[in-house]
Amino acid sequence: SILALCVSTEDIPEYKTVMEMTLNKFGPSLHFTGLEFSYLLPNSSESVATTVGYTSNSENKAVTPETLYGWGSITKEFVNSVLFTLQGEGRLALTDTLGEILPEYFNAELDSSAAPVWPQEWKDIKLYQVLNMTSGIPDFFQIIAVYVNQGKMTTWEHVVTMEWTMEQVMTLAAQFQTNQLSECHKIKFCFPAGSAYNYSNTDYMLAGLIAEKVSGLTLQQLMESIVLSHVPQDGIAYFEDAGPLTGEIAEQTAAGYCDILAPDIPSGTDASQWPYYLMGAAGGLIGNTAAMNGLIRSLFNAEVVPKELTQQFLTDYYVSTKTGKLVNDMETECTGESFCYGLGTMYKYSPAVGSLYFYGGQPLAYWSMYFYLPCYDVVLSISKNSSSLEVIPLEETLDDLLAILMKKEPETFAHHVNPKFCPSSQVQNLNLGFLNNQMVQ
């Protein structure tokens, strides 16, 4: 039973003080009632957690290290690990085109009972361009916003609570690009593959569809066998692509409040029972922060997929989020105000810690984020129980918590586990300020 799980807790005042300040300052306006933070040090298999607040606004049930939250887009790198596994088996390659992987969707001669036909412009898109958000395929949330404004869809709440399959999401994107191409280009949702960057959840619905078509298994089966088998002992994690959540999972998950979508959804609406059809491959993982820490470390330490494939996460196909162009030198091109997006994760070089891999994910009712510092093999993560376009508070909070951790664990941060990812010189100022809300989705 997940209720019997034991996670190490740490009641250090400095962590609690920072988290309580965030909760008290931003919780009421952004509709979250609790925070869960944990970190995982090298040579340790157990995360250390600190929690504040409550799991909902209607009962005094305290957040614990066993409380679950939606991870949103932090799902994406694990969907990629499924594709990497299929690549290792010789079933596909990241340089394959959509026309090569899914030819049935580009054959205009198919009868009406077959798969819908996609725009021919998609045929030459390479798989890695799907995964690093340079495909030029429009994001389904962006499409929904246009259609609701045009009156072609009723309300946001109706759309996001409908049953969707990955193929239906792709059909929506294909029809939008076909029927509103000029509008799509005008608002920069559509572009030739490799010419720009646009954060598109549709790309990962497509990645999930590819995984199912190539393997003959459901994405749920693939995630359970390839990814969730690596959840650490102190972690709890599930993958959901239908929903809503039920049973013990629902009981362990904090109530989640939606604050991001549209005027027809009142700010702070309880979205805990909304389904996960539009999450799935783009954001269907749910868990505690200990599970997030353990899975992230396993992924970057070549425990989920072989080392030669893990290298793709670390160095391959990273693009500038400003231009969409492939970067040649991550350390010099992904620093300062510039971020880079790779195969389902973000990267920034910081003089304070060296290479930093990170991601922030928000499904419809939660917000989660991790930092992974490969120089020291340290990972830390945080979750709150509301979604919001105002993401700065959580980024700054994790910055502050990392600064405290670096001061409290000087021996850890003096030892370089992976020197090639380390800063070129020691920086004394730990006011890190890594992140920019425009770059986290």
Side-chain angles (χ1 to χ4, degrees), residues 140-396:
F140 60 77
F141 284 123
Q142 295 169 335
I143 296 169
I144 292 168
V146 172
Y147 278 164
V148 169
N149 288 337
Q150 292 177 346
K152 295 182 178 180
M153 287 183 169
T154 53
T155 65
W156 269 95
E157 185 165 5
H158 172 71
V159 173
V160 299
T161 56
M162 289 170 53
E163 290 189 20
W164 292 86
T165 64
M166 291 183 286
E167 187 172 83
Q168 287 171 333
V169 170
M170 295 309 302
T171 299
L172 175 74
Q175 291 174 343
F176 181 78
Q177 182 155 337
T178 300
N179 299 331
Q180 300 207 31
L181 185 59
S182 60
E183 176 71 10
C184 195
H185 282 292
K186 178 182 176 182
I187 53 185
K188 300 181 180 179
F189 294 169
C190 303
F191 47 83
S195 67
Y197 166 89
N198 179 50
Y199 198 96
S200 176
N201 289 287
T202 312
D203 281 335
Y204 275 81
M205 288 300 198
L206 174 54
L209 182 63
I210 288 171
E212 291 194 342
K213 293 286 186 180
V214 169
S215 70
L217 300 172
T218 67
L219 189 57
Q220 181 86 40
Q221 291 170 323
L222 292 165
M223 291 290 283
E224 287 177 356
S225 63
I226 295 170
V227 176
L228 296 181
S229 58
H230 295 276
V231 173
Q233 224 172 4
D234 60 350
I236 314 163
Y238 300 92
F239 175 75
E240 181 58 72
D241 58 2
L245 303 181
T246 59
E248 198 170 23
I249 304 173
E251 291 175 12
Q252 288 289 100
T253 303
Y257 302 101
C258 181
D259 196 27
I260 63 169
L261 291 178
D264 64 80
I265 300 177
S267 183
T269 294
D270 187 343
S272 306
Q273 288 301 299
W274 286 4
Y276 271 67
Y277 296 110
L278 279 181
M279 296 294 101
L285 279 173
I286 303 145
N288 65 345
T289 56
M292 192 184 305
N293 292 341
L295 283 176
I296 291 297
R297 171 175 285 171
S298 294
L299 180 61
F300 282 101
N301 280 275
E303 295 170 12
V304 179
V305 294
K307 186 174 183 179
E308 63 273 16
L309 299 178
T310 300
Q311 192 64 30
Q312 295 176 320
F313 275 116
L314 294 169
T315 60
D316 293 358
Y317 301 115
Y318 278 83
V319 298
S320 164
T321 54
K322 292 182 178 180
T323 67
K325 300 300 183 184
L326 291 166
V327 299
N328 296 312
D329 186 337
M330 292 171 65
E331 184 172 323
T332 59
E333 296 180 60
C334 310
T335 191
E337 293 295 318
S338 299
F339 292 76
C340 294
Y341 191 90
L343 301 177
T345 189
M346 285 191 159
Y347 174 89
K348 181 179 178 73
Y349 179 82
S350 164
V353 295
S355 293
L356 171 72
Y357 295 88
F358 66 96
Y359 217 155
Q362 54 175 342
L364 298 176
Y366 303 93
W367 213 101
S368 296
M369 188 170 201
Y370 75 82
F371 288 172
Y372 177 62
L373 293 77
C375 172
Y376 317 99
D377 197 28
V378 169
V379 59
L380 59 160
S381 59
I382 192 167
S383 293
K384 70 179 178 73
N385 62 328
S386 75
S387 57
S388 172
L389 294 178
E390 185 67 41
V391 299
I392 287 291
L394 212 58
E395 296 173 353
E396 293 182 344

Side-chain angles (χ1 to χ4, degrees), residues 30-69:
L30 301 183
H31 303 98
F32 62 94
T33 61
L35 290 167
E36 179 184 318
F37 161 72
S38 69
Y39 62 86
L40 182 61
L41 298 179
N43 302 315
S44 174
S45 60
E46 186 179 75
S47 289
V48 181
T50 300
T51 62
V52 298
Y54 300 95
T55 60
S56 78
N57 60 18
S58 61
E59 59 181 349
N60 292 329
K61 182 181 177 182
V63 175
T64 73
E66 292 85 12
T67 302
L68 311 183
Y69 297 83

